[in-house]
Structures are given as C-alpha cells and as structure tokens.
Amino acid sequence: MKRREFLQKSAIVIVGTAVVKAAPAVGANGQWSGLRKLSPAQAQTLLVMARQIYPHPKLDDACYVSTIEELDAQAAVSPQTARLIIDGVAQLQNSTGGKFDRLSPEQQTAALEAIQSTAFFQKVRSTEVVSLYNNHQVWKQFDYRGASYPFGGYLHHGFNDLKWLPNPPDSASPRG
Amino acid sequence: MAQYDHSDDSVIVIVGSGAGGGTLANSLCRHGLKVVLLEAGSRYSPATFRNDEWFAFNQLAWLDKRTASGSWRVARDFPNLPAWICKTVGGTTVHWAGASLRLEDYEFKTKTHYSGVGGANLLDWPLTLQELQPYYSMAEDRMGVTRTNDIPGLPGNNNFKVMYNGATRVGYQTVHTGRMAINPQPRSGRAGCMQLGFCFQGCKSGAKWSTLYTEIPQAEATGRLDLRPQSMALQVRHDRNGKATGVLYVEQSGQQIFQKARIVCLAGNSIETPRLLLNSASSMFPHGLANSSGQVGRNYMRHTTGSVYAIFKQPVHMYRGTVMAGIILDEARLDPGRGFVGGFEMETISLGLPFMASFLNPGAWGRDYTRQLEQYSNMAGMWIVGEDMPQESNRVTLNHAVKDQWGLPVANVHYDDHPNDIAMRNYAYKRGAAVYEAAGAVKTIEVPPYPSTHNLGTCRMSAKPGDGVCNKWGQTHDVRNLFISDGSQFTTSGGENPTLTIVTLALRQADRIASECAKRNL
Ligand SMILES: Cc1cc2nc3c(=O)[nH]c(=O)nc-3n(C[C@H](O)[C@H](O)[C@H](O)COP(=O)(O)OP(=O)(O)OC[C@H]3O[C@@H](n4cnc5c(N)ncnc54)[C@H](O)[C@@H]3O)c2cc1C
Ligand code: SF4
C-alpha cells in the first residue's frame, strides 16, 4: 500500500498547501503553533525523525516542518492515520526510554533502522520524500531552479553553458 | 466538431487518444470516415500544463488502481504503479520525451535470428521493415522528427556534452542529439524548443509532438471527429455472428452509454487494451473477446531499462534543456558475442530534484543517500533502453479481488526478467558507467528501472491465428471489425523507443481500414 499512500499524499500536497491557512510552525524556542491534531511533543519527535531520515546539515528545521504539517493535516482528517502516527511516535519513544529526541544522531539512526519496515516509518518517509524535495527553499540549496517557462526556458539561460569539457562538433550537436 | 448519435452504427469508435488512437482518428477523418474517440482522461492544453513534477504527475498520469506481481523490483517499490503512463487527451504523448527511432530489419525476425534463446515466446512479425518504410517516412514528416526531412538536430545541452565526451573517449562512433519529435525551429504550426527541461510534464511551448495539439485538432477541423473526454470504455459488445456492435462506456457522472459502431479500434495502451478485451468476455468468447489464441494479455514487454547517473567535480545542471538530449547508437545491433541477443541505446535523461529523490534509489534513506542527492547539480544521467524478450508468463490479467471506481476488476501486471534481459542490463550498466568515468566521473550510480513507460505486446500480431491476437493490419483474427491500434500489437519489442512505430502502424492501419470500407469488406 506504500505507493498508494504516496500517490494520494502527493495529490494532497499540491492541493493541500494552498488551502491550509494556519500552517504549523516551530519557533526558535521549540514552541509549536498551528497544529490541528498532533501534540507539540509528537510534532517535535516527528521533526527529529524527519531530520534523520533525509539528513541535510545545511537545511534548517523550517524545511522539514512541511512534512510535519502534512502528517498533521492527514491525521486531522483520518482517525486511522492519526492512530498510525500517534502510536508510532509512542513506540519509538518507548523503545528509547522516552529520550529519542535527545539521542546522538547515530543512536537515532539505529532506533529508526529497527523500525524501518513498519507502516509508521514508511508513512513518514514516503510523505517526507515528496514534501521535503518539493520545497522551494530546498531547491535553492540544491541549485535546482524549478519552473523555467516563466523566464523563457534555458535556451538563453545556460542550457549548454558547461565549460569544463570541449563542445561536441556541429554534426553531433548543431548550434541551433 | 461532430456529434454523432449513440445509435449511429456507421461510426468508427476508437478507444484512447494517445499515439495510436489520436493518429488513427486523424487519418480516418481525413479519409472521410466518421470517428467517435473515447478518452478516459480530461482535456488539458499547454496553457494548463505546469513545470512542476508532482503537479503534472497528478494532473496527467494514469492513477486508477492497478496491481503488480513478479520478481521485478517495480512490484516491490511501486506495487500500485506498474506503469507510468497518462490518462488524458493525447495519452502518453503528453508525457513522452520525443525520441523517434525506426526499428531495425532484424528486429522484425527475432525467431529467425535469436535461435537458442530458451524460455522466450519469440515470433517473427507478419510484416517487414520494407513494408513499413513508406509509413515511417510519413510518420517522421508528420511528427517533425529531427535529422529527417531536412530538419536539423537539436542543440545539445550540458547533459549531452558530458555524454558525448565520455562516449567518444571510450570509442563510440554514433553519438548525436538524436532523432527527436521536437522542433528546433517552428514548423507545421508548432513552436521551437525553448529548452525548458520539462518534456515529461507536458511541453508548454508545444515544440514536442503530441496528438493533443496536432492530430486531434486537425481531426476536429475535418468536422468528422466526435471526441468524448472523461469517457471510460468498459466493454466491447458483439452480436450473434461474433461481429463487434459497439462500446459500452461510462461518463464522469457515472452515466453508462452504449455507442454503436461499424468498426471498433482499441488504443488504450498495452495494459488497458487487453484488460478491456478480458472484461468483454461473453458466452461466445468465454476467455475474453478476440482471445481464441489465449494470447490476450500475454507477452507483456516493457523494454530492458535502467539508468546510470554520475557525479562530477563540477556542475552539469542536467535538468536544463531537453530531457532526452542525445543518444549513443553503437550498441543497437545484433551481436550475441556480448552475452545477449538484441540491441540497446543509451539516451540522456534528467529528473528534477523532486523526482530524483524518489527514483534515484526508491525507498532509500539516511546520510549516505542524502550525500548523493546533495550532488544533484553535478550529476549527469542516461537511460538505457533495449529489447526485452516476450514471455508467455509476463502477463496482464484481471485482478478480481480489486475493483476500480466503476466496479470492474483492475489489471494486474506480472513481470519477471528473462536471463537475456538481465545480461543486457548488466552489460549496459557497465558501458554507461565507463562512458561517465571517461568523462571524469567521481562516482557512478546504477538506478533500477522506473515504472514502465514503454508497454508493449499484449495483443500481438501473428501470421497464424493460433500464435497471436491480430494480423499484420492490427485486425483481430477472431472479430473482423475489431482492431488493435496501439503498442499492444508489437510481436516483439525491438530495442528502440516505440512511439514512432506505433504512429507508423496507425497510419498504415488507417489506409487499410479506409480501403476495406470502400470495398465494403468492413
Ligand atoms: C515519461 C515518458 C517518456 C517517454 N518517452 C518516450 C520517447 O522518448 N520515445 C518513445 O518512443 N516513447 C516514449 N514514451 C512512451 C510513449 O509515450 C508511449 O509508447 C506511447 O504514448 C504509447 O501510445 P499508445 O497509443 O499505446 O498509448 P497512450 O499514448 O498511453 O494512450 C492511451 C490512452 O488511452 C486511454 N485509455 C485507456 N483505457 C481506456 C478506456 N478503457 N477508455 C477510454 N480511454 C482509455 C488512456 O487514458 C490514454 O490517454 C515515454 C513515456 C513516458 C511515460
Ligand atoms: S525542452 Fe523543448 S520539448 Fe522539452 S518541454 Fe521544453 S520546449 Fe518542450
């Protein structure tokens, strides 16, 4: 069912972000606001988890919050999803003596490896792989520009600007 | 636009508006015939496409339920998405990249040439390359294929520069920016390529050929096409003499309609076409319509594929410009000395960051994986496409345990790689990595096949009725006025991207249908 959720999810991301007004946010002090279903403690554990699943030291927490936002929005409308997430967080905390958020990154990864085949883990991972890498802030960090039609495409914006290899001859690649 | 009565039994009903169906509709209308074109998806346009991978996927892809089984990794990673194809007016020609290659002569005669390959249900096509050549030429002209009809090649992007340098350094000779149904300059009412880099998301400039804004509007301009979007064919019906009488379909509202027909042509792509035949079983055709051979749904082929991505020390920005920006053709030949029969091509490919994260290694997570993704702007990529072996057990069947939104059993797609496919893929991975290493790659990554973009062979052509579903015109052996008009007809897959051949067969089929109608044989 993994893929199905994945697809349904991605549909929601696109439609959803435009509609949800009071999006959850986490302040510099670790205070959560705008959550619809999850508790701040649950959201915080999910955030730590999300950072370990697709860790990028250069990205700040705000990039990962969209995943929590998405999980929270789904939990708010589906009791089944809410149970999956809430129970999953509780079990993860139980397995680490309630200290998951404060473990070292290596220990957190080990705790996640132990649950990686569960529906809970797959739910978080498959949600995150879409929402994290669909985030425009993240695109900037990765030097990916996204939509090119608004600026007329790459024809005059570097589609063939690579300089560290010689240019192919015209017969292989006409200059246009 | 025409509007025909549901009881008008002089119309030709075509199911599916993609490469096969859209082309066939236009040709039949130009022959003066009346056509009802049923399309399950909605109608969009370049103005409503978006340069956004997930948005476009949700807008255009076929997301109705399917299931997958077999030992291919797709069944594990994407159990409900065996194929990545479209459900929209224009079909998968909205998503496609535009690579347009003719099949080779030997690929029409695999039973003759590939002796000794065990476990493959090989068969020679009931037609030859020579018979198809004039139609290939017509198709290339209509689609505006580069390097044909005096159309120059496209300018290569950065991704191609890397491929070209690596390929020539390892000794490959035939490496260029391909034969693409993409206009370098405006031609035939279509604009020139802006190097947008979103070929898979619907071409916003309309430079890439798609039936959506070529064949279909041309057919509408004849005044003979009745296009019905959001109309899902459920069943083909027949009379006591075993002649098709029309198609039962359902509109978005749930309203079911029976459209009478003189001739029925199926072009729903190689998963839905056999599903429709199997769902049309009756007391006269208990195993499915036109299935006396038992071959409907069998011999499903998807091409031997895989991708190689490579990381370089310096930026590439592969996502800028045409997705399939160039090709290596040297390996597209018959040479069993490599350890397998059949040939393959290497074509550049790029994915945006959102798809890259999902497809570079489906399911992977953790720091090793994210380190690779952080090299995104320094990556180049290529896609492998080669001939795969037809096997009877690779098969589209009805999954009676799972129903779609209309209550019909969904298609299950079963696929196991043939040892020849595995040998070819492993060889191609090595060659691809060698190309990139020669260009200075610091790391190469072998990427498993994506959900199938090429789907072929499930209602194959055969000279003898016992060996396949249709004859060399796509006409089913069992039902005279029922035709197969898409990639399901392929007897074997060939090693080339299939769409040019699908279009070629549709043009040829249209001429045949028109002449048979004129002779009152149909
Ligand atoms: C990302 C991508 C890139 C590709 N790149 C290339 C390339 O470079 N070169 C190449 O040769 N090929 C390429 N292809 C493959 C190419 O798109 C297909 O081979 C081609 O479009 C298949 O044509 P078709 O007529 O068989 O089916 P399609 O074009 O898929 O059309 C089938 C249509 O039938 C409709 N349909 C199905 N069932 C029903 C029903 N029961 N009732 C009503 N309507 C129905 C579907 O909604 C669909 O619109 C690519 C495909 C993808 C996904
Ligand atoms: S690169 Fe060219 S063909 Fe591809 S989407 Fe852009 S304009 Fe269209």
Side-chain angles (χ1 to χ4, degrees), chain B residues 206-223:
Chain B
K208 179 187 82 176
W209 177 84
S210 167
T211 56
L212 173 64
Y213 39 80
T214 58
E215 309 296 324
I216 290 168
Q218 286 169 25
E220 286 176 323
T222 66

Side-chain angles (χ1 to χ4, degrees), chain A residues 24-131:
Chain A
V26 59
N29 54 1
Q31 300 285 328
W32 284 83
S33 61
L35 291 166
R36 295 165 66 193
K37 178 75 188 175
L38 302 173
S39 72
Q42 288 159 347
Q44 187 60 31
T45 299
L46 287 168
L47 178 67
V48 174
M49 183 176 170
R51 288 216 72 125
Q52 285 316 317
I53 294 179
Y54 292 113
H56 293 288
K58 280 195 188 150
L59 297 182
D60 54 30
D61 281 352
C63 296
Y64 291 89
V65 168
S66 59
T67 300
I68 318 310
E69 175 187 340
E70 179 59 31
L71 291 167
D72 181 51
Q74 286 187 46
V77 295
S78 159
Q80 221 181 327
T81 306
R83 200 167 319 120
L84 180 72
I85 295 171
I86 292 169
D87 291 356
V89 169
Q91 273 163 22
L92 181 61
Q93 287 294 7
N94 275 343
S95 73
T96 52
K99 291 184 303 206
F100 177 76
D101 300 8
R102 281 166 284 136
L103 295 176
S104 71
E106 293 72 27
Q107 289 168 318
Q108 285 169 344
T109 301
L112 293 175
E113 272 166 2
I115 62 161
Q116 63 178 332
S117 56
T118 63
F120 163 65
F121 179 88
Q122 287 304 332
K123 176 79 191 165
V124 177
R125 191 203 60 77
S126 63
T127 302
E128 181 178 359
V129 77
V130 176
S131 61

Side-chain angles (χ1 to χ4, degrees), chain B residues 182 193-199 203 205 207-208 321-322:
Chain B
I182 296 179
C193 176
M194 299 161 71
Q195 301 285 343
L196 295 171
F198 286 88
C199 308
C203 177
S205 73
K208 179 187 82 176
T322 46

Side-chain angles (χ1 to χ4, degrees), chain B residues 15-21 38-41 62 84 86-88 90-93 95-99 200 231-233 267-269 272 324 453-454 486-487 497-500 502:
Chain B
V15 175
S17 63
L38 301 177
E39 169 52 57
W62 182 284
W84 170 14
C86 291
K87 177 181 175 181
T88 183
T92 316
T93 66
H95 261 6
W96 82 313
F200 288 177
S231 299
M232 169 83 182
N269 205 324
E272 292 308 311
M324 281 189 177
T453 55
H454 299 174
D486 58 16
N497 315 55
T499 307
L500 178 71
I502 295 174

